[in-house]
Amino acid sequence: MEKIIDKSFLTNLIAVAIIIIGYIVQQELVRAIGYFALSGAITNWLAIHMLFEKVPYLYGSGVIPNRFEEFKSSIKQLMMQQFFTINNIENFIEAEEQQGEKILNLEPLLNAVDYDRVYEGLVVSIMGSSFGGMLMMMGGPEALAPLKEPFIEKMKHTLTETVESDSFKAALQQGLNAHKIGEDIVGKIETVIDKRLSELTPQLVKEMVQAIIREHLGWLVVWGGVFGGLLGAIFGFA
């Protein structure tokens, strides 16, 4: 509020100075300009003051702290209806998915696969099948050792082709389900907003609004003085 006070004080001081000059030079027009400028500046200053503070016997004053519940509701509606809608979040997720398809790198995931363990599982399965007895006659599991490296290479190649296929990407995208994710995100955002709004007090709401429009409030007093002075000049000539 310091800037507002500075502008208001300076405007009122100038108006008072004009009034004094009008009396000194005995000019009714100058006095009229000063009085109208002072009344316009004071009226706008009082209007600004009444937005944030309760003035006794003035109905409607202190509208912001008095209506802070409505302000909180409006803040929530603004956030949820204009920014964090399911449609907006769904479009964002889908755009990220499309972008991700171009930069998606599953190679680290494929490299993390324990192919030795996969091979060992295959050998155990074969030994437990009807071919197990036949394989024991041919040297047991060691007889399959020459197949290990070709098997692992073929497994890597097959998995790589699979994850790069259009069907896999489509299944991945369907599994992500942008709409469901969007609904979940909106629900969590709404919970966060509700929690934060429940912590707001009339004083905090007042400070929030002041912080948003602080820069321009002082100019209301300045322009009130300017237009008041112009009206004083017009009526002085009339």
Side-chain angles (χ1 to χ4, degrees), residues 9 19-20 76 115 124 150 160 175 208 221 231:
F9 178 77
I19 294 173
I20 295 173
K76 178 180 177 180
Y115 293 99
V124 170
T160 300
M208 287 171 56
V221 178
L231 288 174

Side-chain angles (χ1 to χ4, degrees), residues 123-134:
V123 172
V124 170
S125 297
I126 293 176
M127 294 303 298
S129 68
S130 57
F131 295 99
M134 184 185 303

Side-chain angles (χ1 to χ4, degrees), residues 24-226:
I24 293 175
V25 299
Q26 295 297 314
Q27 287 289 329
E28 183 67 28
L29 175 61
V30 177
R31 291 200 299 269
I33 291 174
Y35 278 120
F36 273 79
L38 183 62
S39 64
I42 291 178
T43 300
N44 282 7
W45 173 84
L46 181 59
I48 293 171
H49 183 75
M50 288 172 60
L51 281 175
F52 303 102
E53 305 295 341
K54 179 69 176 177
V55 179
Y57 308 113
L58 291 183
Y59 177 78
S61 62
V63 62
I64 290 178
N66 288 345
R67 303 284 185 176
F68 84 102
E69 289 292 346
E70 296 177 19
F71 273 94
K72 291 198 300 184
S73 177
S74 297
I75 292 171
K76 178 180 177 180
Q77 289 181 8
L78 175 65
M79 299 296 290
M80 300 306 300
Q81 295 179 8
Q82 300 299 325
F83 296 99
F84 299 111
T85 65
I86 293 179
N87 187 52
N88 286 345
I89 294 178
E90 185 176 343
N91 290 338
F92 172 78
I93 294 174
E94 289 177 349
E96 289 298 307
E97 288 176 355
Q98 293 175 1
Q99 182 67 21
E101 289 180 0
K102 301 176 182 179
I103 61 175
L104 184 62
N105 182 18
L106 294 177
E107 184 175 351
L109 180 62
L110 296 178
N111 291 335
V113 175
D114 190 347
Y115 293 99
D116 288 333
R117 188 171 181 180
V118 174
Y119 171 77
E120 290 172 1
L122 176 64
V123 172
V124 170
S125 297
I126 293 176
M127 294 303 298
S129 68
S130 57
F131 295 99
M134 184 185 303
L135 191 59
M136 288 299 296
M137 296 173 59
M138 300 173 60
E142 290 75 13
L144 297 176
L147 299 177
K148 180 177 180 180
E149 291 302 324
F151 170 80
I152 291 177
E153 289 301 320
K154 183 62 175 178
M155 176 67 71
K156 289 181 178 179
H157 179 71
T158 301
L159 288 177
T160 300
E161 286 186 339
T162 300
V163 299
E164 290 179 352
S165 66
D166 292 337
S167 58
F168 178 84
K169 292 178 179 178
L172 180 62
Q173 185 173 2
Q174 183 178 2
L176 291 175
N177 195 343
H179 183 75
K180 182 62 169 63
I181 295 175
E183 288 181 339
D184 292 342
I185 292 176
V186 168
K188 292 178 180 178
I189 291 175
E190 187 170 5
T191 300
V192 171
I193 291 177
D194 285 336
K195 183 178 183 299
R196 178 53 182 153
L197 289 178
S198 66
E199 298 171 352
L200 292 181
T201 64
Q203 179 64 26
L204 285 175
V205 172
K206 183 180 75 172
E207 292 175 357
M208 287 171 56
V209 177
Q210 283 179 336
I212 294 172
I213 60 179
R214 168 181 303 176
E215 183 66 27
H216 305 285
L217 290 180
W219 287 107
L220 294 179
V221 178
V222 174
W223 288 114
V226 171

